[in-house]
Amino acid sequence: MQLTPDNITKLDFDKCPLMPAIVQDAATGQILMQGFMNEAAIAATFEKQLVTFYSRSKQRLWTKGEESQNVLRLVSAHTDCDNDAILLLAIPAGPTCHLGTQSCFGDAKPATSFLAQLEQVIVSRKSDDPKTSYTASLFAKDISRSCQKVGEEGVEVALAAMKQDKNELVNESADLLYHLLVLLQRSNTSLQDVVECLEARHKPC
């Protein structure tokens, strides 16, 4: 169930005064960290729109990133079927772990999450020097160049498949996905927009 400020009373704090709360990157799907929340912490999270826990060591509410500025901006909150655990989808402002890594769980993440990460890298390099960044050089050219690259890479993918050359197929597909992400950004369209379109088309049997 998705949580809102109006229905957090459905959480069973009588059974579990301090609930485990898992934070997941809303863009990549990577699990970032786990903390604990009481009723005041989840209320503060909604109020600030920043993930806030109850710190057992500090014995108080603690907003993630209040010192490091590596905050977790809330996208949505959910509870499990027993209403005694919380899942928070958030956008991290920097490394989540105190060790300086993106996640407290190391590099454990879905393989496909790199597409979302790559999209973020592409966005960050839009304004870089075209002389030192291939991505920036594509943005510096007319959009027709990006359209051309997607067309060329699409043909290369098809030819590799026809030759049944798996290695070439993988490499050409990687080129196609990269240039497609660039073209989407140049067209003010996100990977999420494409995924939502696919989801809308999907009709379970």
Side-chain angles (χ1 to χ4, degrees):
M1 177 182 72
Q2 182 165 345
L3 293 171
T4 68
D6 296 327
N7 69 4
I8 59 175
T9 55
K10 292 185 179 294
L11 290 167
D12 196 351
F13 285 108
D14 290 334
K15 179 174 69 175
C16 192
L18 277 182
M19 287 191 185
I22 296 290
V23 184
Q24 183 177 22
D25 190 315
T28 68
Q30 185 176 21
I31 300 299
L32 300 177
M33 68 174 295
Q34 185 252 319
F36 294 90
M37 286 183 159
N38 57 11
E39 193 166 358
I42 187 66
T45 295
F46 279 117
E47 181 181 352
K48 298 179 180 181
Q49 290 295 290
L50 298 174
V51 175
T52 300
F53 299 104
Y54 180 81
S55 171
R56 295 172 296 171
S57 58
K58 296 180 175 67
Q59 292 288 295
R60 65 170 176 83
L61 296 186
W62 167 67
T63 298
K64 176 69 179 74
E66 62 186 19
E67 294 180 4
S68 67
Q69 305 305 309
N70 294 332
V71 296
L72 295 166
R73 302 191 183 282
L74 180 69
V75 173
S76 62
H78 308 261
T79 183
D80 69 342
C81 56
D82 292 323
N83 295 322
D84 60 3
I86 300 169
L87 174 66
L88 302 154
L89 300 185
I91 299 296
T96 298
C97 184
H98 71 285
L99 297 177
T101 55
Q102 190 68 15
S103 167
C104 293
F105 296 95
D107 58 0
K109 59 184 177 181
T112 52
S113 71
F114 181 72
L115 281 177
Q117 184 180 339
L118 177 59
E119 182 179 48
Q120 294 170 358
V121 172
I122 288 170
V123 171
S124 71
R125 293 183 181 172
K126 282 183 179 182
S127 302
D128 286 357
D129 186 350
K131 294 180 181 178
T132 58
S133 168
Y134 177 68
T135 298
S137 72
L138 289 174
F139 282 95
K141 295 181 176 69
D142 188 82
I143 193 173
S144 60
R145 177 55 178 161
S146 291
C147 295
Q148 179 185 1
K149 289 299 295 182
V150 169
E152 289 175 354
E153 299 301 344
V155 171
E156 294 294 336
V157 168
L159 290 175
M162 286 293 292
K163 291 192 294 183
Q164 297 186 4
D165 185 328
K166 182 176 180 179
N167 185 61
E168 186 175 346
L169 177 60
V170 168
N171 279 283
E172 295 299 345
S173 295
D175 289 343
L176 175 59
L177 286 172
Y178 164 77
H179 285 96
L180 178 58
L181 287 175
V182 170
L183 182 59
L184 289 173
Q185 280 301 310
R186 300 201 63 177
S187 304
N188 296 315
T189 305
S190 69
L191 181 62
Q192 181 63 32
D193 294 328
V194 177
V195 171
E196 288 176 358
C197 178
L198 287 170
E199 287 180 332
R201 293 178 183 180
H202 175 65
K203 295 180 179 180
C205 297

